[in-house]
Amino acid sequence: METKQRITIARGDGIGPEIMDATMEILMAAGARIEADYIEVGEKVYLAGNSSGISPESMEILRRNKIFLKAPITTPQGGGYKSLNVNVRKTFGLYSNVRPAVSYHPFVPSAHPKMNLVIVRENEEDLYAGIEHQQTPEVFQCLKILTRPGTEKIIRYAFEFTRSQGRKKLTCMTKDNIMKLTDGMFHKVFDEVGKEYPDIEQEHWIIDIGMAKIADSPADFDVIVMPNLYGDIASDVAAQVAGSVGLAGSANIGDEYAMFEAIHGSAPRRAGQNLANPSGLLHGAILMLLHIGQNDVAEKIHNAWLKTIEDRVVTYDLARKIKETGETNYTEVGTREFAQAVIERLGQKPSTLKVADYGNPVSVQAKKPTFKNVRDQKTELVGSDVFIHDGVIDAQTLGHKLEAIAGEHLKLVMISNRGQLVYPGHHPETFCTDHWRCRFERRDNNSPATHAHIRELLSRVEAEGLKWIKLENLYYIDGQRAYSLSGGQ
Ligand code: NAD
């Protein structure tokens, strides 16, 4: 007999406990072969003084069970609280966030009846590295970090996912016309890895027009892979145009660990009233069942849910949508009654909507990734961007001062403000803040710059009474310039 899979469950905050109880009732009635350990995460844990929203003991349970089904939580207002989701994703290496967005038209009204796409979102990097600094009174910075191994993992995962689901096309979206190094690398790795998957149709869209197309003609897409922030936004757009954010589930997948959830939040205003729709979390649970190989149970629940929706038994959120179309044939029920309606239909299948068929193993399991080794590539120091804080100086004066102290090894190449060239060749219209990036490069292209050259330069900058606030060294890596030019350069 198959042993039961131990999983960890968090009932969360707001509507979390109600939708989790409803989901678990359906799972158990359908014969899910699972045993649950419940942990407390979220608001209460934060307010008890734990800034990560989860206790070390609960982290140990997550580590032991490896599979986590999580209801939404409330992060208290005010500073100092760290995101539980980001913490769990990063601690356990859940690098892939899989978010299907499917239309159930006409039962859930949608302008896009044929939509059936999956967004595969990179889950650990990008602006979510959370490395932020205020550098001057006027200037704030958040570092966008994309790594080559992180990108390879998510791109390879997306190709494997597309193939294993019997899907045909993988679209990559980036903003590499502007972010040529970070997003440019993501696009390049997509093209590189894509050569290993000739059976899958491949395309790339710039994220702005790509996002517009998701909103306007989502049926054109199949699977879409994106860096973290774009994927976060695009998947909410996709879920909403498919019908409702309240319906979509999501899987956070790593090599060893996985977390499943609804994409919506804890909707505190709806809490405790038996109103909330448990479907998003139920879809997360279906992805979990597929992940742990209980395809039979996943299929049974999915079909019963489709039949319930087809019978127009719905919670308030969908009732409102249906009513807006002038349709009067529907039954509005509460969270518990909705769960009962699904349980009553276990064993039944929808007659109009596409029947869920998980006969063949359809796993969202990750494969151990392989990486191209780039660690041995030659890096050559060629200079440094010295950032200076000065709220009174103008670009010309700063430029002349720095030219005079650049020294025998380094030369001032340019100064930019907010990324726009202001020296040499200043346009008087360009708005300047108190934050100047001053680029120094080696004078002799045949001999490398050294750290000593840069240290000596900084001493002269200080002696000149200028306040340097940070350095960003400039390299050639593998023979290529590894930094961007500034706007106007
Ligand atoms: P939300 O998704 O909680 O709610 C937005 C609105 O959507 C609600 O007012 C409600 O009308 C509707 N809604 C959402 N889920 C629903 C459901 N299952 N059934 C019926 N209606 C539903 O977004 P928010 O109000 O911006 O955030 C509330 C809290 O949730 C915040 O504390 C936020 O930090 C947190 N949050 C948590 C997660 C998570 O744990 N994964 C995700 C997003 C937001």
Side-chain angles (χ1 to χ4, degrees):
M1 206 185 91
E2 187 184 345
T3 53
K4 287 189 176 168
Q5 169 86 41
R6 261 202 120 76
I7 63 168
T8 311
I9 289 191
R11 293 169 76 237
D13 301 313
I15 59 171
E18 297 161 72
I19 59 173
M20 181 59 86
D21 292 349
T23 297
M24 286 305 286
E25 218 177 308
I26 297 168
L27 258 63
M28 297 330 281
R33 299 174 288 282
I34 54 175
E35 241 174 296
D37 289 318
Y38 284 81
I39 60 167
E40 183 83 60
V41 296
E43 200 171 21
K44 275 200 216 112
V45 184
Y46 282 119
L47 295 177
N50 189 323
S51 67
S52 59
I54 181 165
S55 70
E57 297 76 33
S58 297
M59 282 301 267
E60 271 316 304
I61 297 174
L62 289 183
R63 181 166 285 117
R64 190 182 69 213
N65 290 345
K66 295 191 165 62
I67 305 290
F68 184 23
L69 181 62
K70 182 185 138 297
I73 61 150
T74 303
T75 308
Q77 294 290 314
Y81 299 111
K82 284 181 256 160
S83 163
L84 170 80
N85 272 352
V86 175
N87 181 22
V88 171
R89 283 175 198 155
K90 288 193 173 186
T91 303
F92 295 109
L94 310 181
Y95 60 84
S96 177
N97 187 198
V98 179
R99 296 183 161 202
V102 183
S103 163
Y104 305 101
H105 193 81
F107 307 102
V108 179
S110 166
H112 308 289
K114 294 203 159 56
M115 171 176 188
N116 179 356
L117 62 81
V118 180
I119 291 180
V120 176
R121 163 192 171 195
E122 197 289 318
N123 218 15
E124 293 183 286
E125 304 193 338
D126 198 353
L127 291 154
Y128 292 70
I131 306 175
E132 291 191 288
H133 302 93
Q134 181 175 0
Q135 300 197 314
T136 68
E138 287 186 340
V139 174
F140 299 74
Q141 165 187 288
C142 176
L143 285 186
K144 169 167 166 134
I145 294 188
L146 300 192
T147 70
R148 191 176 164 109
T151 303
E152 272 190 66
K153 276 205 231 187
I154 192 67
I155 298 281
R156 201 170 287 284
Y157 179 86
F159 274 111
E160 287 290 326
F161 176 86
T162 305
R163 191 183 263 172
S164 73
Q165 306 287 301
R167 288 179 177 261
K168 302 284 173 255
K169 182 167 79 168
L170 180 61
T171 306
C172 175
M173 292 192 190
T174 70
K175 186 80 183 169
D176 67 340
N177 54 333
I178 301 294
M179 282 160 280
K180 298 189 168 79
L181 286 181
T182 46
D183 285 21
M185 182 272 294
F186 197 93
H187 185 173
K188 191 167 150 228
V189 170
F190 175 75
D191 290 344
E192 249 174 61
V193 173
K195 292 201 176 76
E196 297 169 36
Y197 298 86
D199 50 317
I200 293 168
E201 192 188 332
Q202 302 165 27
E203 61 178 13
H204 174 270
W205 287 89
I206 299 290
I207 185 68
D208 40 10
I209 188 63
M211 190 90 78
K213 265 188 76 76
I214 292 175
D216 181 63
S217 37
D220 291 352
F221 295 106
D222 197 350
V223 183
I224 312 174
V225 64
M226 296 188 220
N228 204 340
L229 180 65
Y230 311 144
D232 191 5
I233 300 167
S235 56
D236 271 30
V237 172
Q240 189 65 25
V241 302
S244 163
V245 277
L247 293 182
S250 118
N252 299 269
I253 309 281
D255 293 335
E256 260 193 85
Y257 298 87
M259 172 170 80
F260 301 86
E261 58 187 343
I263 73 163
H264 61 73
S266 58
R269 280 193 311 130
R270 310 289 178 193
Q273 299 159 63
N274 192 36
L275 277 175
N277 189 345
S279 301
L281 188 59
L282 187 66
H283 279 122
I286 291 170
L287 291 170
M288 176 186 78
L289 290 167
L290 293 172
H291 184 76
I292 61 178
Q294 297 190 17
N295 299 23
D296 52 335
V297 190
E299 186 176 300
K300 196 167 161 188
I301 294 175
H302 203 163
N303 283 323
W305 180 85
L306 289 164
K307 180 79 171 95
T308 310
I309 294 295
E310 244 183 37
D311 290 346
R312 291 202 153 96
V313 180
V314 289
T315 43
Y316 84 94
D317 50 324
L318 297 189
R320 194 184 285 170
K321 275 194 148 250
I322 296 170
K323 200 168 159 192
E324 278 167 11
T325 66
E327 175 69 64
T328 52
N329 174 25
Y330 62 89
T331 311
E332 185 176 334
V333 295
T335 313
R336 284 192 292 275
E337 294 72 26
F338 182 81
Q340 284 313 314
V342 175
I343 290 169
E344 280 161 22
R345 288 166 180 77
L346 286 169
Q348 297 183 36
K349 288 186 174 156
S351 42
T352 309
L353 291 169
K354 189 168 176 279
V355 173
D357 178 6
Y358 300 130
N360 301 315
V362 184
S363 175
V364 286
Q365 194 96 35
K367 267 194 178 171
K368 281 267 180 233
T370 49
F371 301 121
K372 178 173 163 189
N373 182 9
V374 292
R375 288 190 180 180
D376 301 335
Q377 284 179 353
K378 185 165 171 269
T379 66
E380 191 183 1
L381 183 65
V382 298
S384 193
D385 279 350
V386 179
F387 288 75
I388 287 178
H389 168 204
D390 198 317
V392 280
I393 208 160
D394 64 84
Q396 299 307 307
T397 312
L398 181 60
H400 291 139
K401 277 189 176 198
L402 293 175
E403 297 260 20
I405 60 169
E408 58 176 314
H409 299 293
L410 297 170
K411 62 178 180 216
L412 178 71
V413 177
M414 61 97 181
I415 301 174
S416 74
N417 197 296
R418 296 190 302 168
Q420 183 64 21
L421 183 77
V422 291
Y423 181 91
H426 177 238
H427 293 283
E429 300 83 3
T430 307
F431 179 77
C432 289
T433 68
D434 58 0
H435 183 264
W436 308 86
R437 176 179 58 161
C438 309
R439 173 161 293 172
F440 293 88
E441 286 179 6
R442 59 188 170 179
R443 285 191 188 274
D444 178 359
N445 283 346
N446 295 318
S447 70
T450 67
H451 287 111
H453 297 156
I454 296 167
R455 275 199 306 276
E456 287 153 20
L457 171 70
L458 290 181
S459 303
R460 293 193 295 275
V461 167
E462 285 167 24
E464 189 64 34
L466 294 167
K467 198 154 85 183
W468 66 272
I469 47 174
K470 81 157 187 170
L471 284 185
E472 201 72 68
N473 285 344
L474 306 174
Y475 295 96
Y476 269 61
I477 298 182
D478 203 26
Q480 302 288 323
R481 182 168 42 80
Y483 51 92
S484 61
L485 299 178
S486 83
Q489 197 181 355

